[in-house]
Amino acid sequence: MTTAAPSLPTQQKAWAQAIAQPAQEFPLTPLTVISGAIPADLRGSLYRNGPGRLERQGQRVSHWFDGDGAVLAVHFADGQAQGIYRYVRSAGFTEEEQAEQFLYSGYGSLAPGPIWQRWKAQLKNAGNTSVLALPDKLLALWEGGWPHQLDLHTLETKGVHPLGQLTDNEPYSAHPKRHPQTGHIFNFGIVAGANATLNLYRSDAQGHIEKKESVPLNGIPLIHDFVLADRYLVFCVPPVRLNPLPAVLGFQSFSDALMWQPKHGTQLVVVDAETLEVVSSEAVDPWYQWHFGKGFVNKDGDIVLEVVRYPDFATNQQLKEIAAGQIKTKADGEFWRICVEPQTARVRSQTCLIANHCEFPHIAEDQPTVTAPTYLSMQPSEPDTEGELFRAIARFDPDTEKLTIAEAGSDRYPSEPIYVPKAGNDTPSGWVLSVVYDGGAHQSELWIYDIDRLTDAPVCRLLLPQVVPHSFHGTWRPA
Ligand SMILES: [Fe+2]
């Protein structure tokens, strides 16, 4: 049962309705088909994570990244789909539920109360950024802390999990990468402090950390994602540095204490995936990125990586404004391919592949990385994109450099597209799944596209029982 849309101030766009009220959980529910039919051979589970609650007792968080994590699961079997949506019951969330008010600071929000109490306030692990599906558990990820363990079917939260080796101050970031050949899972975490380090983790396929290394950092940068390219990990450390004192003393949130310092350039750091030791490092002209697409080593032995680049850190301000329901700051990401010489970390070449504002690159992992298409969220080239969220998804084919854009329509906001391979096909084939918020109807739907007919209508549209606010990242777990 969907609820009535809240009335919006006239300057707000339709997307703001989806986050105007805290999201409502729903139990495991058979999903109604709005159009088309669920493909009979679509078997497995889609998981998505994002900030579900941005408000308590009329107080709103100050940054979109600080909403309490809520996970959507849609389980597909035998041509049927069941959906469930539950908050990540972190210790902080549970405490704030009982207190009926915010108690903790976050990435961009300060705990209520006088400053002299804030300095010792812990950050709340919002568990809101992404998910990692392991054989026996789902991890809800947040880059400043340990992952939360959830039941794969019911999404019941079972506490934080150290993955065998994390110590108290070692976070596990929200963008782990699975090696397509070995099954190893790579990830990192920034350990802040006077001698900040970039911690590197390699886990087995069950998620158990087998190897850890620490790389010293220059100041405390913001690193959100990295690239796995065959036998290398590549970090592009952007010139964003934390001004630590105001953040530690509680005068400023971490987000507000992050400074754009282009003089540092963007530092490329190439790491050996076997030893987790740094191979090379080099500063290049500054850019900022949240996310990478694919990475691979080409026939010349060079690393090729895809990245959504921003000219500066204004994107952080834009993401802050989303929490307030109105975007005033323009910050467009472009999709680039960069070729890096591994032994020196020098850039051999760089090309802008997509100049349209885009984000959330997602790779077809069942195909050779070199030729696999990349799927993205995209802002179509049209007037009146100001203040809007993404209203299209797209497929980029590297061989032909063809860009196929599927527009969702007016006031419809598709989430990061997730590719799902069709099992048993000789030629790559499959679907793309995206949760779409329809601002006109104030409802959320799950759209299933055929990857070869992306500009056609989705092969199926499913109605979700409640509005699911815009989410960050998701994954597909085959049955
Ligand atoms: Fe992310």
Side-chain angles (χ1 to χ4, degrees):
M1 182 73 69
T2 54
T3 50
S7 58
L8 290 173
T10 50
Q11 67 272 27
Q12 287 191 327
K13 301 291 184 184
W15 59 261
Q17 294 172 345
I19 54 171
Q21 305 291 334
Q24 300 294 309
E25 296 182 311
F26 51 84
L28 202 60
T29 308
L31 301 186
T32 306
V33 174
I34 300 170
S35 67
I38 299 170
D41 43 357
L42 182 60
R43 297 185 196 92
S45 298
L46 171 74
Y47 299 99
R48 291 203 59 78
N49 194 354
R53 175 182 272 278
L54 298 167
E55 177 181 317
R56 278 193 190 278
Q57 301 294 324
Q59 187 196 350
R60 282 187 81 78
V61 295
S62 301
H63 198 292
W64 192 23
F65 289 179
D66 291 332
D68 291 302
V71 175
L72 170 72
V74 179
H75 306 300
F76 290 92
D78 306 321
Q80 307 286 319
Q82 291 191 308
I84 182 169
Y85 184 62
R86 297 196 69 180
Y87 281 98
V88 177
R89 283 177 163 67
S90 66
F93 174 86
T94 305
E95 216 178 312
E96 291 180 340
E97 280 279 284
Q98 287 164 358
E100 297 185 345
Q101 62 170 325
F102 286 130
L103 302 171
Y104 289 93
S105 295
Y107 166 76
S109 306
L110 289 171
I115 284 173
W116 60 86
Q117 286 180 2
R118 267 189 225 136
W119 71 271
K120 60 180 181 183
Q122 290 183 322
L123 290 183
K124 179 176 61 179
N125 181 336
N128 66 1
T129 312
S130 188
V131 280
L132 175 62
L134 297 172
D136 61 347
K137 62 178 89 67
L138 183 74
L139 299 181
L141 304 171
W142 182 69
E143 70 189 38
W146 286 10
H148 281 84
Q149 178 185 186
L150 274 59
D151 183 280
L152 282 162
H153 196 69
T154 66
L155 302 182
E156 178 193 352
T157 303
K158 298 177 174 178
V160 289
H161 198 292
L163 304 178
Q165 284 214 32
L166 296 173
T167 60
D168 282 349
N169 67 338
E170 289 181 326
Y172 190 81
S173 285
H175 283 284
K177 301 284 186 293
R178 229 184 275 262
H179 196 285
Q181 275 81 46
T182 67
H184 283 130
I185 299 167
F186 294 87
N187 201 5
F188 71 96
I190 301 281
V191 180
N195 299 301
T197 59
L198 171 65
N199 276 23
L200 305 168
Y201 311 118
R202 190 179 67 232
S203 306
D204 63 18
Q206 283 69 45
H208 190 276
I209 295 173
E210 296 177 332
K211 187 170 177 60
K212 269 199 312 195
E213 290 293 338
S214 290
V215 177
L217 286 167
N218 167 22
I220 304 174
L222 180 63
I223 304 176
H224 183 72
D225 192 7
F226 72 106
V227 178
L228 172 60
D230 297 341
R231 58 186 182 276
Y232 302 108
L233 319 182
V234 184
F235 291 84
C236 299
V237 183
V240 171
R241 297 289 183 277
L242 184 74
N243 186 11
L245 206 57
V248 170
L249 293 177
F251 289 107
Q252 279 188 309
S253 70
F254 279 85
S255 171
D256 288 343
L258 287 169
M259 304 172 293
W260 174 249
Q261 297 181 328
K263 64 181 181 188
H264 295 298
T266 289
Q267 190 82 22
L268 304 194
V269 181
V270 178
V271 173
D272 184 306
E274 177 63 32
T275 64
L276 299 185
E277 290 175 357
V278 173
V279 175
S280 60
S281 176
E282 176 78 11
V284 298
D285 287 345
W287 78 75
Y288 184 78
Q289 85 279 318
W290 297 108
H291 298 120
F292 294 92
K294 67 171 72 173
F296 60 90
V297 174
N298 68 13
K299 57 182 173 24
D300 300 323
D302 290 333
I303 297 166
V304 178
L305 61 89
E306 296 174 345
V307 57
V308 178
R309 275 171 57 156
Y310 297 84
D312 54 32
F313 197 44
T315 171
N316 188 54
Q317 174 63 24
Q318 184 186 78
L319 295 166
K320 175 178 177 167
E321 292 164 3
I322 288 174
Q326 193 181 359
I327 295 173
K328 297 173 180 171
T329 300
K330 191 170 172 59
D332 289 352
E334 293 180 337
F335 192 57
W336 285 68
R337 179 191 292 147
I338 299 177
C339 182
V340 179
E341 207 269 327
Q343 279 70 42
T344 62
R346 291 203 179 114
V347 172
R348 283 201 192 276
S349 63
Q350 46 187 332
T351 311
C352 179
L353 301 173
I354 304 172
N356 286 36
H357 178 35
C358 57
E359 253 299 354
F360 301 124
H362 183 84
I363 313 302
E365 288 179 349
D366 63 323
Q367 299 162 43
T369 313
V370 178
T371 53
T374 300
Y375 297 89
L376 305 110
S377 296
M378 169 113 353
Q379 196 58 278
S381 301
E382 58 172 69
D384 193 28
T385 57
E386 196 177 325
E388 281 289 13
L389 294 187
F390 296 111
R391 285 177 292 174
I393 60 169
R395 165 183 169 147
F396 178 78
D397 285 280
D399 286 351
T400 57
E401 301 208 342
K402 182 184 175 192
L403 179 67
T404 308
I405 300 177
E407 297 192 23
S410 178
D411 294 341
R412 287 175 171 162
Y413 302 94
S415 70
E416 167 199 55
I418 300 289
Y419 171 76
V420 178
K422 195 181 284 188
N425 271 44
D426 291 338
T427 53
S429 177
W431 305 276
V432 165
L433 273 51
S434 178
V435 174
V436 178
Y437 172 66
D438 183 338
H442 188 51
Q443 66 188 29
S444 291
E445 303 173 7
L446 178 60
W447 289 15
I448 305 168
Y449 290 92
D450 184 319
I451 57 159
D452 296 317
R453 292 181 289 130
L454 209 56
T455 53
D456 291 357
V459 296
C460 184
R461 287 170 53 204
L462 296 164
L463 179 64
L464 296 172
Q466 297 282 351
V467 168
V468 171
H470 316 290
S471 50
F472 293 136
H473 298 291
T475 194
W476 173 257
R477 182 177 185 269

mmCIF file of all heavy atoms in Angstrom, residues 129 174-175 224 290-291 360 472-473, ligand 1:
data_model
loop_
_atom_site.group_PDB
_atom_site.id
_atom_site.type_symbol
_atom_site.label_atom_id
_atom_site.label_comp_id
_atom_site.label_asym_id
_atom_site.label_seq_id
_atom_site.Cartn_x
_atom_site.Cartn_y
_atom_site.Cartn_z
ATOM 1 N N THR A 129 25.557 2.236 2.607
ATOM 2 C CA THR A 129 26.195 2.604 1.342
ATOM 3 C C THR A 129 26.117 1.519 0.277
ATOM 4 O O THR A 129 25.867 1.798 -0.884
ATOM 5 C CB THR A 129 27.668 2.983 1.603
ATOM 6 O OG1 THR A 129 27.724 3.890 2.700
ATOM 7 C CG2 THR A 129 28.277 3.622 0.388
ATOM 8 N N ALA A 174 33.044 0.556 1.398
ATOM 9 C CA ALA A 174 31.777 0.113 0.795
ATOM 10 C C ALA A 174 31.915 -0.322 -0.662
ATOM 11 O O ALA A 174 30.906 -0.570 -1.318
ATOM 12 C CB ALA A 174 30.759 1.238 0.899
ATOM 13 N N HIS A 175 33.163 -0.424 -1.177
ATOM 14 C CA HIS A 175 33.307 -0.834 -2.583
ATOM 15 C C HIS A 175 34.289 -1.986 -2.761
ATOM 16 O O HIS A 175 35.304 -1.854 -3.461
ATOM 17 C CB HIS A 175 33.705 0.372 -3.443
ATOM 18 C CG HIS A 175 32.545 1.267 -3.718
ATOM 19 N ND1 HIS A 175 31.568 0.946 -4.632
ATOM 20 C CD2 HIS A 175 32.163 2.432 -3.150
ATOM 21 C CE1 HIS A 175 30.654 1.896 -4.650
ATOM 22 N NE2 HIS A 175 30.985 2.804 -3.752
ATOM 23 N N HIS A 224 36.866 6.820 -1.701
ATOM 24 C CA HIS A 224 35.577 6.117 -1.669
ATOM 25 C C HIS A 224 35.610 4.791 -2.408
ATOM 26 O O HIS A 224 34.858 3.880 -2.067
ATOM 27 C CB HIS A 224 34.512 7.038 -2.275
ATOM 28 C CG HIS A 224 33.133 6.478 -2.247
ATOM 29 N ND1 HIS A 224 32.402 6.368 -1.085
ATOM 30 C CD2 HIS A 224 32.347 5.975 -3.233
ATOM 31 C CE1 HIS A 224 31.225 5.830 -1.352
ATOM 32 N NE2 HIS A 224 31.164 5.582 -2.646
ATOM 33 N N TRP A 290 34.058 9.705 -7.169
ATOM 34 C CA TRP A 290 33.478 8.754 -6.208
ATOM 35 C C TRP A 290 33.720 7.328 -6.688
ATOM 36 O O TRP A 290 34.130 6.483 -5.923
ATOM 37 C CB TRP A 290 31.966 8.975 -6.046
ATOM 38 C CG TRP A 290 31.554 10.300 -5.490
ATOM 39 C CD1 TRP A 290 30.953 11.337 -6.163
ATOM 40 C CD2 TRP A 290 31.701 10.761 -4.132
ATOM 41 N NE1 TRP A 290 30.731 12.392 -5.310
ATOM 42 C CE2 TRP A 290 31.168 12.063 -4.057
ATOM 43 C CE3 TRP A 290 32.219 10.188 -2.968
ATOM 44 C CZ2 TRP A 290 31.142 12.811 -2.874
ATOM 45 C CZ3 TRP A 290 32.198 10.933 -1.789
ATOM 46 C CH2 TRP A 290 31.665 12.220 -1.751
ATOM 47 N N HIS A 291 33.454 7.108 -8.004
ATOM 48 C CA HIS A 291 33.353 5.713 -8.470
ATOM 49 C C HIS A 291 34.161 5.407 -9.724
ATOM 50 O O HIS A 291 34.313 6.258 -10.601
ATOM 51 C CB HIS A 291 31.874 5.388 -8.764
ATOM 52 C CG HIS A 291 31.016 5.499 -7.561
ATOM 53 N ND1 HIS A 291 29.959 6.365 -7.472
ATOM 54 C CD2 HIS A 291 31.088 4.858 -6.358
ATOM 55 C CE1 HIS A 291 29.406 6.259 -6.276
ATOM 56 N NE2 HIS A 291 30.070 5.364 -5.589
ATOM 57 N N PHE A 360 27.598 5.944 -11.056
ATOM 58 C CA PHE A 360 27.297 4.553 -10.704
ATOM 59 C C PHE A 360 27.622 3.553 -11.821
ATOM 60 O O PHE A 360 26.763 2.764 -12.220
ATOM 61 C CB PHE A 360 25.818 4.410 -10.303
ATOM 62 C CG PHE A 360 25.413 5.272 -9.142
ATOM 63 C CD1 PHE A 360 24.348 6.170 -9.253
ATOM 64 C CD2 PHE A 360 26.080 5.193 -7.933
ATOM 65 C CE1 PHE A 360 23.968 6.970 -8.189
ATOM 66 C CE2 PHE A 360 25.714 5.990 -6.855
ATOM 67 C CZ PHE A 360 24.652 6.874 -6.980
ATOM 68 N N PHE A 472 21.941 3.969 -2.977
ATOM 69 C CA PHE A 472 23.278 4.165 -3.526
ATOM 70 C C PHE A 472 23.713 2.969 -4.394
ATOM 71 O O PHE A 472 23.933 3.117 -5.588
ATOM 72 C CB PHE A 472 24.281 4.372 -2.396
ATOM 73 C CG PHE A 472 24.090 5.640 -1.627
ATOM 74 C CD1 PHE A 472 24.154 5.651 -0.239
ATOM 75 C CD2 PHE A 472 23.831 6.840 -2.284
ATOM 76 C CE1 PHE A 472 23.994 6.827 0.474
ATOM 77 C CE2 PHE A 472 23.655 8.032 -1.579
ATOM 78 C CZ PHE A 472 23.734 8.010 -0.194
ATOM 79 N N HIS A 473 23.852 1.806 -3.761
ATOM 80 C CA HIS A 473 24.452 0.679 -4.466
ATOM 81 C C HIS A 473 23.724 -0.626 -4.166
ATOM 82 O O HIS A 473 23.098 -0.771 -3.124
ATOM 83 C CB HIS A 473 25.920 0.503 -4.055
ATOM 84 C CG HIS A 473 26.761 1.684 -4.413
ATOM 85 N ND1 HIS A 473 27.073 2.017 -5.709
ATOM 86 C CD2 HIS A 473 27.362 2.610 -3.633
ATOM 87 C CE1 HIS A 473 27.832 3.089 -5.715
ATOM 88 N NE2 HIS A 473 28.030 3.476 -4.474
HETATM 89 FE FE FE B 1 29.703 4.548 -3.715
#
